[in-house]
Amino acid sequence: MKRVYLYLQDGRYSCYADISDEVELPPYSTLTVPPETMTNPYWINGQWINKKQASDRVPNYQEVFAVLPTTQQKIMMQQSQQITVLQTLIMQQNQSNAKSQATNAQQAAQIKQLQQMFMTANQQQALAKAKEEVQQ
């Protein structure tokens, strides 16, 4: 058995594992033990290096504030989003209107057909009535 020390893709130490001697060394692993004195060991260029942890640094808030948008920029972004939403609503309404117009045109054609059918039926009834009167 051999103990291998695994690290993440960025080199940060992850854990150790015991594997059989016959097993090939897996990727992102080494046989070198990270020193116990290291608080944040990273495997870089074939050796363990103690990197400073992010919590050890005092954050520079000026860098953070410089990236934040101004009030005017926030308002403009909000308005831009609202315009996009309105444009989407208008497009949906236009699609709905187009469907309604198509339905209306279809219904108008059906009404014309029904009117023609009624006119034909009325004419046939009138002819039939006229024939009856002539036969009497």
Side-chain angles (χ1 to χ4, degrees):
M1 293 295 276
K2 61 184 173 185
R3 181 164 283 183
V4 293
Y5 300 90
L6 304 167
Y7 52 90
L8 303 176
Q9 201 169 9
D10 65 356
R12 184 169 28 125
Y13 173 70
S14 175
C15 62
Y16 67 86
D18 294 321
I19 61 172
S20 173
D21 288 331
E22 293 86 35
V23 175
E24 196 175 307
L25 196 63
Y28 303 110
S29 67
T30 180
L31 296 172
T32 308
V33 181
E36 290 181 27
T37 57
M38 290 187 178
T39 56
N40 196 24
Y42 275 73
W43 184 254
I44 297 175
N45 296 327
Q47 62 181 349
W48 289 109
I49 295 176
N50 196 29
K51 275 194 168 184
K52 285 187 178 181
Q53 293 180 354
S55 61
D56 293 345
R57 285 187 324 139
V58 176
N60 182 355
Y61 292 108
Q62 293 305 322
E63 292 173 3
V64 174
F65 291 136
V67 177
L68 295 176
T70 64
T71 304
Q72 186 178 4
Q73 288 171 327
K74 286 181 187 177
I75 291 171
M76 289 178 69
M77 286 188 291
Q78 240 179 356
Q79 288 175 340
S80 175
Q81 288 173 342
Q82 290 170 345
I83 288 170
T84 303
V85 168
L86 288 173
Q87 287 172 335
T88 304
L89 289 172
I90 289 170
M91 285 172 37
Q92 289 173 345
Q93 188 64 45
N94 287 343
Q95 288 175 345
S96 178
N97 289 346
K99 287 178 184 176
S100 294
Q101 287 174 352
T103 303
N104 289 347
Q106 202 173 28
Q107 288 174 345
Q110 289 172 346
I111 288 170
K112 271 188 177 179
Q113 286 176 344
L114 287 172
Q115 286 173 338
Q116 287 174 350
M117 286 172 55
F118 283 127
M119 285 173 51
T120 305
N122 287 341
Q123 287 173 352
Q124 288 173 350
Q125 284 177 352
L127 284 173
K129 200 174 189 180
K131 282 184 184 179
E132 281 179 21
E133 289 174 3
V134 168
Q135 287 176 355
Q136 288 176 358

